[in-house]
Amino acid sequence: MPNIKSAIKRVKVAEKANIANSQAKSAMRTTVKKAEQALATGADNAQELVLAASKALDTAASKGLIHKNAAARKKSRLAKKAN
């Protein structure tokens, strides 16, 4: 543990950010997984889930959780499966 006050605060802030980022990334992965499962089973709401997954990927990319090209690649592959 650091001794300097600002370094102590940085540790606390980094821990909070890490937790928030982990939750957001996990939620994004879950959304994508649900969309892929819906497409595989041919569910009625598959198109809605693909749109939700696409939005989740865009949000994750804008927050820096995943690279923008990775988000574009995943969106492209989802769209390809949807057609």
Side-chain angles (χ1 to χ4, degrees):
M1 191 69 179
N3 294 325
I4 299 168
K5 189 174 184 179
S6 60
I8 292 169
K9 183 176 180 181
R10 285 304 323 152
V11 168
K12 288 180 184 176
V13 170
E15 284 176 358
K16 267 189 178 178
N18 187 20
I19 291 168
N21 288 339
S22 297
Q23 288 175 342
K25 202 168 184 178
S26 177
M28 181 261 313
R29 284 195 197 112
T30 303
T31 309
V32 171
K33 198 178 290 185
K34 283 183 182 177
E36 287 175 345
Q37 287 174 347
L39 288 171
T41 59
D44 297 334
N45 63 343
Q47 207 60 29
E48 294 170 17
L49 291 173
V50 168
L51 283 174
S54 178
K55 184 177 179 182
L57 285 165
D58 283 336
T59 305
S62 70
K63 290 183 177 183
L65 300 178
I66 59 172
H67 195 275
K68 65 179 181 128
N69 290 355
R73 181 180 65 244
K74 289 174 192 277
K75 283 172 55 178
S76 174
R77 288 178 181 170
L78 262 178
K80 199 173 179 182
K81 288 178 187 175
N83 290 337

